Amino acid sequence: MIVVLTGGTGGAKFVQGLAALVPARELTVIVNTGDDLTWWGLHVSPDLDSITYALAGILSRERGWGVEADTFHCLEAMCRMGAPAWFQLGDRDLATHLRRTELLSENKTLSEATSQIARGFGIETRILPMTDDRVETRVLTADGELSFQEYFVRERYQVAARGVRFEGAERAQAAPGVLQAIAHAEIVVIAPSNPITSTGPILAVPGIRQALKETMAPVAAISPIIGGAAVSGPAGELMQTQGLAVSIAGVVRCYADFLDLLVADERDSALGTPVEGIAVRYTSTVMKSEADKTALAR
Ligand code: FO1
């Protein structure tokens, strides 16, 4: 059993690569839900949906989120009626949020809603939200706090971040199956995701970090930092707010208490950043093509 911890678009690409190599039932994906939001009254779980769409083979290649070739007629109609439109939901994507919201309103848990949605797409891989409880990533700025999507999408991470916190994390419980999957894994892989806002919320759920320390499985992480900079997004700036170097050494510091192996890009080998106490394997980690994704996963 391979267990992947993931969030964001880099993680979804990596899971796509892995899914091409590993039988679907031998993979369990534990997903960040700190980015979740209520939008137009609907419960949207962007990272769960990116994994679902990636495994269903319908993740938009162009955007890296949402459904390939989706249309935005509902968004246009909502705009006409004065609804907020900075967070764009495609028409086919919308069905997922409608169904999830309906299931949650029938007192199903997020885990149950997620597995029902995944079944609808014919997915056999287990997709587990990190928790069924509400944990919300909050970004601290000079003018107050923003939700993750306000910071990431609405402000396009152009406001200076001072820190990040995970509202509700200390009271949250790992979702059913999460701790067991880590305990019984043959290998655990931390996807090339933002270590602060994508995997950070997962590790903030009580018990998950401990499970990673205790598992007999080797734990490997793929660095989202390439050549001393984030591949995309605000990972670099957010790492600095936590006093971390924007380097593979900074990534290792996020995971040092349980990590056995860091997979880093060969450009970082050339930089020669010292990484202490951990094995580092250098390879090409840029995922542009399908072949890149499977090569990295292999
Ligand atoms: N990202 C954007 O940059 N702009 C959007 O309007 C947007 C909408 C959106 C809708 C559904 C969804 O599942 C993801 C969406 N994303 C959008 C991506 C999302 O903000 C990120 O993938 C994650 O939250 C980062 O982990």
Side-chain angles (χ1 to χ4, degrees):
M1 181 60 75
I2 299 179
V3 173
V4 182
L5 272 57
T6 180
T9 51
K13 281 188 190 175
F14 175 71
V15 167
Q16 254 174 341
L18 206 50
L21 300 174
V22 175
R25 288 168 193 266
E26 290 178 25
L27 190 59
T28 294
V29 189
I30 299 171
V31 184
N32 170 41
T33 58
D35 296 6
D36 288 17
L37 71 161
T38 303
W39 187 253
W40 300 340
L42 303 175
H43 186 115
V44 182
S45 296
D47 288 352
L48 283 170
D49 293 341
S50 294
I51 294 300
T52 302
Y53 299 154
L55 292 173
I58 59 165
L59 181 68
S60 167
R61 263 178 293 245
E62 189 195 332
R63 282 176 272 121
W65 51 267
V67 177
E68 179 80 11
D70 210 347
T71 52
F72 290 85
H73 300 300
C74 179
L75 176 75
E76 285 160 25
M78 290 297 275
C79 267
R80 271 197 296 276
M81 293 182 281
W86 56 261
F87 193 76
Q88 308 202 312
L89 296 186
D91 297 325
R92 290 172 69 197
D93 189 24
L94 197 55
T96 306
H97 317 309
L98 285 165
R99 187 68 183 126
R100 175 184 297 114
T101 306
E102 184 178 44
L103 290 166
L104 293 175
S105 75
E106 291 165 2
N107 286 327
K108 299 275 194 304
T109 63
L110 184 60
S111 301
E112 289 165 342
T114 302
S115 70
Q116 184 150 341
I117 290 166
R119 264 201 310 282
F121 282 101
I123 294 168
E124 291 183 83
T125 290
R126 210 150 58 117
I127 306 172
L128 302 178
M130 63 190 199
T131 178
D132 284 335
D133 300 317
R134 191 72 193 99
V135 173
E136 202 186 329
T137 300
R138 310 282 305 168
V139 180
L140 321 178
T141 76
D143 297 326
E145 280 188 8
L146 298 175
S147 72
F148 178 77
Q149 299 298 348
E150 286 168 340
Y151 167 74
F152 186 72
V153 175
R154 193 187 71 196
E155 303 300 330
R156 296 173 197 277
Y157 45 92
Q158 296 307 304
V159 287
R162 292 185 167 179
V164 170
R165 68 180 189 94
F166 308 118
E167 170 77 34
E170 62 290 346
R171 294 182 301 277
Q173 282 190 325
V178 166
L179 301 180
Q180 295 83 343
I182 295 170
H184 298 128
E186 283 170 54
I187 177 165
V188 180
V189 186
I190 316 277
S193 301
N194 180 329
I196 309 302
T197 53
S198 289
T199 54
I202 305 178
L203 299 176
V205 174
I208 295 187
R209 198 174 259 281
Q210 192 61 28
L212 289 163
K213 283 187 210 171
E214 287 173 4
T215 183
M216 299 297 282
V219 182
I222 299 152
S223 175
I225 300 296
I226 298 187
V231 179
S232 66
E237 191 195 347
L238 294 176
M239 286 175 77
Q240 281 172 327
T241 68
Q242 309 299 103
L244 294 161
V246 187
S247 68
I248 58 171
V251 176
V252 165
R253 270 191 62 199
C254 297
Y255 306 136
D257 48 338
F258 56 75
L259 198 64
D260 297 299
L261 171 73
L262 181 77
V263 177
D265 196 79
E266 48 217 5
R267 272 176 260 177
D268 290 281
S269 164
L271 282 181
T273 309
V275 179
E276 276 166 30
I278 191 91
V280 185
R281 162 91 190 264
Y282 294 100
T283 185
S284 172
T285 62
V286 178
M287 293 180 285
K288 288 214 170 99
S289 65
E290 300 308 305
D292 293 339
K293 294 174 199 169
T294 46
L296 179 58
R298 187 174 281 114

